[in-house]
Amino acid sequence: MANQVAFWIFGHAVVYMLWLPAVSALYLLIPTLAGKPLYSDKLGRISALLYLVFSNVVPIHHLYMVNLPVYMKFVQEILTYGVVIPSMMTFFNLWATAKEAKFSWNVVSAFTVTAFAGAIAAGVTGISNATISFDAIVHNTMWVVGHFHAMILLSIVPAAMAVVYFMIPMLTGRNWYSKGAAWFHFWGYLLGSVILVVGMDQLGLGGLLRRSEIFPRTYYFVSAEVEVTVGMLLAQAATLAWLLNLLSTLVKGRRIELAPLDLGQTIQVIGVSLSGALPTLTSPVLRRAISRGYGMGVLGALIAALSFFFLAKMGDGYGDFIWIWLLLFITGVFLMALPILRDSKGV
Amino acid sequence: MNSKEKWEWGFTLSAIILLALVAATTFPYIFQVGGVPAPHLTNDAPVIQVHLIQRQYVFQVEEEGPKGNSSYYNLILTYPSYLLNLTATSIDVTGNLYFPYYSGQVIDVQIVPGTQAYAVILPPSVPGPYVFLNGEYDGPWFPYQVAVILELPSSGYFTLSDVSRYYEQTQQARAGALVGDPYNPPVILCNSTFEPRIYLSADQYGILNFTVPAPTLVVKEGANVSLVLFFPFPTSDSNYLRTYVNGRPEVVNNATLGIYGVSGGTLKQVASVELRYGVPIILNFTAVYPAYVYGIYYPIHTNYSPGNTSSPVIGEDFGLVTGAWGIIMVEGG
């Protein structure tokens, strides 16, 4: 028991060693890309302070299912919720900063937005893990693996990639060799990572223990294992494209003169060179897309809403309802997004 | 406070309120794990009440079944169509019941001191032994703590059809999903003779034929069975048959190899012999019960403490362990 407590008290810090640089990158990138100052400097400072306090008092939430007093675990649940507060403050602050800003849709901003949205998606699975009664169900299953993969693949790595995409030209004086490869990297990585995380979550909700080398050869588990594999391969292929692009950039990238520019201008210039189109919240592109695709968007919303009927009927997760839900939900979201994607030429 | 600050603090406060609501509404449930799905309790299926007590390396089982009350180690007895209404507790160790039934659903229940864990296990459709294990430590590859749900026929012996279906589904599973799986034991058919002589050998970890539980044997009703077991001298600390006494390693010499008939919800010893190493050990019996448990069924106390170094401060590793045991199915007719 002492070993376990000591391990987590000293070991849990690794989570925030990875996460806080990603948050810092978002605090830099979002105001820069939005071309606006941070919405609230004070809120940002308080968030940092709360992160410092709460990130160090939560490690025992890994030990809900061991022989510790139940009330101590409940205190730990509350303290773990405490670390959600600076995250919520950060999300609000960054969202308010980006609100009504003229965002350039480029690879840097795409990875930045992914890191922001991914942190929320992955964070929600973290809140559920932090809840003892939920953890009792998913403890030691693939759900836990899905949570930290979501946190790393959907938030920490995208934030790092956003930084890498502007730092490589800064450091080398060469701009990215291939814009197409950069976009392939973004979409392939995003899609692959989402599929991988959904598959892991599905396995965990089915009760499969992590580290299991065997699993029931039933449709539910086999399909989820296949999802994880396909997602991993896609994300890896996309990352390989990034690596080749990086190597090509180092050798054959066009020379770019960034010395006279400050950091914000540098990020903007590199971003523009990696841009798709400009679907800003106030752009004519978006307005045109919304006006032309209004009916399709409403239909998509209705289908997405309908899908939750099957989700509610899913019961213990064994059966076809999960697939009906997933198919309808993705179709609905796609129909809602289609007009914007079409007019933005971002894909 | 200006409008901007009101938004900031309003949003933060709403997050705090939401989290407080979650904490308050889930608080009553932190004292239990799992739950009994309502549909299972409302149907008319007969129920066997099972109390599973997690020990360090074994499950202790107390059962209230149709054949009376019984206690076992690492064994749950059930019958076709019976639901197992399982309550799991532990006094001092953390554990887990992991039942990855390879052609059905996964049961995964944490067993934690201070809480009550509940689960309902539906009977497999084909009678026979099905394994579950403690998944808390290293998943399915933690070698010893594996247990069996033994589904006996409703009455009498296993029929030829029962044996065929069980053998077929086990073979199918082992050829696919369970390749390399040491925990769903292979089936050895010995039902073509009334004088079967079965040889099993333990490995460096003290388990028979590299599997925990040991292979499932199938014999004919009335057969005169000779079970020949061989245990090499334990030389590794990884072998539970080697323990530490006063800080020095010793092999376990007081273990009993036995054959136990499963009848009326109890285990009746029909043959036994003291464990010896390096020589064949022969157990003879006539197959008159529907099923038997064989091998070192009753767990052995083992302690890893070289030089008496283990202590509550730096860590301890001791408990009841068994690995060299298995099930014999008896085919009637």
Side-chain angles (χ1 to χ4, degrees):
Chain A
M1 186 66 67
N3 286 345
Q4 285 180 293
V5 172
F7 174 83
W8 282 112
I9 282 181
F10 292 110
H12 191 267
V14 73
V15 172
Y16 293 93
M17 286 178 195
L18 294 168
W19 166 236
L20 290 180
V23 177
S24 306
L26 291 178
Y27 269 111
L28 166 71
L29 283 166
I30 288 181
T32 304
L33 292 167
K36 293 166 64 181
L38 187 65
Y39 178 78
S40 171
D41 184 67
K42 186 171 76 178
L43 204 60
R45 289 168 190 272
I46 294 172
S47 300
L49 194 64
L50 291 177
Y51 269 129
L52 181 67
V53 172
F54 283 107
S55 67
N56 286 294
V57 293
V58 298
I60 295 174
H61 66 210
H62 289 264
L63 303 174
Y64 283 159
M65 294 296 125
V66 303
N67 190 9
L68 287 170
V70 177
Y71 284 102
M72 179 193 278
K73 296 175 191 172
F74 185 65
V75 169
Q76 192 63 201
E77 177 182 300
I78 301 298
L79 291 173
T80 307
Y81 285 170
V83 87
V84 178
I85 303 301
S87 296
M88 298 294 270
M89 293 162 83
T90 296
F91 297 143
F92 175 78
N93 206 357
L94 295 176
W95 171 80
T97 304
K99 187 169 172 282
E100 294 182 354
K102 295 192 174 183
F103 249 102
S104 165
W105 181 238
N106 57 59
V107 174
V108 177
S109 61
F111 270 115
T112 304
V113 168
T114 301
F116 179 82
I120 297 173
V124 167
T125 61
I127 297 170
S128 54
N129 291 347
T131 306
I132 296 171
S133 53
F134 186 85
D135 179 71
I137 298 165
V138 299
H139 174 80
N140 206 26
T141 68
M142 285 296 289
W143 171 274
V144 179
V145 184
H147 163 64
F148 64 73
H149 274 77
M151 215 55 215
I152 292 169
L153 297 182
L154 297 178
S155 186
I156 293 170
V157 170
M161 280 298 170
V163 172
V164 164
Y165 268 104
F166 78 76
M167 279 195 74
I168 291 296
M170 278 177 64
L171 293 172
T172 64
R174 291 177 183 272
N175 206 355
W176 286 93
Y177 178 74
S178 168
K179 187 168 81 171
W183 277 112
F184 174 75
H185 172 214
F186 171 71
W187 286 112
Y189 175 84
L190 176 62
L191 190 61
S193 299
V194 168
I195 292 171
L196 180 142
V197 168
V198 168
M200 285 180 171
D201 287 350
Q202 192 178 329
L203 288 171
L205 289 174
L208 194 74
L209 290 187
R210 57 177 162 176
R211 298 188 291 260
S212 290
E213 294 194 31
I214 55 167
F215 56 90
R217 188 62 71 90
T218 57
Y219 180 63
Y220 181 88
F221 291 102
V222 172
S223 59
E225 291 280 2
V226 170
E227 276 173 47
V228 172
T229 306
V230 168
M232 180 272 293
L233 288 174
L234 185 53
Q236 292 286 18
T239 306
L240 189 62
W242 166 80
L243 182 64
L244 293 174
N245 200 13
L246 175 67
L247 295 174
S248 304
T249 300
L250 296 177
V251 178
K252 297 172 70 176
R254 282 177 292 109
R255 296 221 171 261
I256 184 170
E257 183 55 56
L258 297 168
L261 307 178
D262 64 23
L263 182 62
Q265 291 168 324
T266 301
I267 294 171
Q268 293 285 4
V269 166
I270 295 167
V272 167
S273 74
L274 294 170
S275 66
L278 303 171
T280 62
L281 293 175
T282 55
S283 75
V285 172
L286 189 61
R287 281 203 297 275
R288 197 165 63 245
I290 290 170
S291 63
R292 291 203 309 192
Y294 185 76
M296 199 177 288
V298 170
L299 178 65
L302 286 174
I303 291 173
L306 176 68
S307 74
F308 285 95
F309 171 77
F310 293 96
L311 185 66
K313 294 289 287 181
M314 198 167 74
D316 61 6
Y318 299 93
D320 294 328
F321 279 139
I322 189 170
W323 294 109
I324 298 172
W325 165 70
L326 201 60
L327 182 67
L328 287 176
F329 185 67
I330 290 173
T331 305
V333 171
F334 183 74
L335 286 177
M336 284 190 278
L338 189 62
I340 299 165
L341 292 173
R342 184 185 60 202
D343 284 348
S344 70
K345 301 185 181 69
V347 289
Chain B
M1 187 182 286
N2 61 31
S3 164
K4 185 175 148 184
E5 285 184 327
K6 281 181 185 170
W7 277 107
E8 291 169 14
W9 296 118
F11 184 84
T12 306
L13 194 63
S14 66
I16 292 170
I17 291 170
L18 277 174
L19 291 169
L21 275 175
V22 174
T25 52
T26 59
F27 178 77
Y29 302 104
I30 68 176
F31 299 95
Q32 65 185 50
V33 179
V36 178
H40 294 156
L41 287 183
T42 53
N43 70 22
D44 296 328
V47 174
I48 297 174
Q49 305 292 345
V50 180
H51 181 198
L52 196 77
I53 303 162
Q54 176 74 63
R55 302 295 185 198
Q56 181 62 56
Y57 295 125
V58 293
F59 295 110
Q60 187 179 331
V61 176
E62 292 171 357
E63 227 180 276
E64 292 174 35
K67 309 283 172 82
N69 300 347
S70 310
S71 297
Y72 312 103
Y73 284 108
N74 291 341
L75 183 66
I76 296 175
L77 280 190
T78 186
Y79 300 86
S81 80
Y82 275 81
L83 296 179
L84 294 169
N85 185 22
L86 189 141
T87 305
T89 58
S90 171
I91 297 168
D92 53 358
V93 294
T94 301
N96 166 273
L97 184 156
Y98 185 52
F99 180 42
Y101 175 41
Y102 48 77
S103 58
Q105 68 182 50
V106 168
I107 302 288
D108 175 24
V109 179
Q110 288 302 124
I111 306 171
V112 186
T115 65
Q116 294 266 354
Y118 303 102
V120 166
I121 299 178
L122 307 176
S125 57
V126 180
Y130 296 88
V131 296
F132 64 96
L133 46 125
N134 180 357
E136 174 57 21
Y137 296 105
D138 295 320
W141 296 96
F142 189 77
Y144 294 125
Q145 196 179 342
V146 185
V148 163
I149 295 172
L150 176 57
E151 184 178 321
L152 293 167
S154 301
S155 62
Y157 297 96
F158 289 89
T159 64
L160 178 60
S161 167
D162 290 338
V163 170
S164 300
R165 286 191 298 157
Y166 181 77
Y167 180 75
E168 190 179 328
Q169 73 171 15
T170 304
Q171 290 299 97
Q172 192 178 357
R174 291 183 63 83
L178 304 178
V179 171
D181 165 32
Y183 297 119
N184 282 278
V187 182
I188 299 177
L189 297 176
C190 312
N191 54 350
S192 58
T193 171
F194 280 90
E195 301 285 337
R197 192 172 177 86
I198 305 159
Y199 295 86
L200 299 172
S201 180
D203 64 7
Q204 59 176 322
Y205 301 112
I207 63 175
L208 294 166
N209 283 29
F210 308 104
T211 168
V212 182
T216 301
L217 313 175
V218 180
V219 300
K220 289 289 277 186
E221 171 197 356
N224 293 313
V225 184
S226 288
L227 193 57
V228 185
L229 306 176
F230 179 82
F231 285 80
F233 193 84
T235 55
S236 164
D237 285 343
S238 301
N239 191 328
Y240 67 99
L241 297 173
R242 179 175 148 116
T243 184
Y244 278 81
V245 179
N246 297 323
R248 300 178 63 83
E250 288 184 7
V251 295
V252 172
N253 283 312
N254 57 355
T256 301
L257 284 161
I259 306 285
Y260 308 91
V262 182
S263 173
T266 58
L267 299 182
K268 292 183 179 168
Q269 183 176 299
V270 297
S272 75
V273 62
E274 198 168 85
L275 173 63
R276 283 169 290 143
Y277 302 101
V279 293
I281 303 164
I282 302 172
L283 290 156
N284 297 310
F285 68 101
T286 303
V288 294
Y289 291 107
Y292 291 86
V293 177
Y294 73 91
I296 305 173
Y297 169 69
Y298 288 100
I300 296 160
H301 185 269
T302 188
N303 179 26
Y304 178 70
S305 180
N308 281 329
T309 47
S310 79
S311 73
V313 176
I314 67 163
E316 297 170 305
D317 185 6
F318 63 84
L320 294 172
V321 182
T322 183
W325 66 284
I327 302 294
I328 300 171
M329 299 164 67
V330 178
E331 180 194 317

